[in-house]
Amino acid sequence: MLLSKMQADPSNGLVIFGVGLCVGLVCMISAMRQGQVCANGIVGVSQGHDVFTNTLIYAALPEFYAILGLVGALMV
């Protein structure tokens, strides 16, 4: 998909690299936060609290930011 943009104008290489770097950073931060949410949910369930459904819902929120970052990169 990016190859067609590079063939049209080779000077877009730095822009494409920057977009990829930003998306990678957003996805990395999103993954770390999602891991923290899931780990806290696991601790809550192991302590006997009824937080399984809330954990699933809250775990989807950081993933949404990663998806938005990907969609934003595809729009560029």
Side-chain angles (χ1 to χ4, degrees):
M1 191 163 65
L2 294 176
L3 188 59
S4 63
K5 288 186 180 185
M6 288 298 292
Q7 288 174 348
D9 188 14
S11 64
N12 286 339
L14 192 58
V15 173
I16 293 172
F17 177 75
V19 168
L21 190 65
C22 290
V23 170
L25 184 66
V26 166
C27 288
M28 182 182 67
I29 293 171
S30 171
M32 289 189 307
R33 297 298 179 195
Q34 188 176 18
Q36 289 173 348
V37 168
C38 292
N40 288 331
I42 290 169
V43 169
V45 169
S46 71
Q47 292 176 351
H49 301 290
D50 187 24
V51 294
F52 181 74
T53 305
N54 291 339
T55 300
L56 287 178
I57 293 169
Y58 292 144
L61 294 177
E63 187 68 28
F64 181 66
Y65 288 111
I67 293 169
L68 282 180
L70 179 64
V71 168
L74 292 175
M75 291 177 65
V76 172

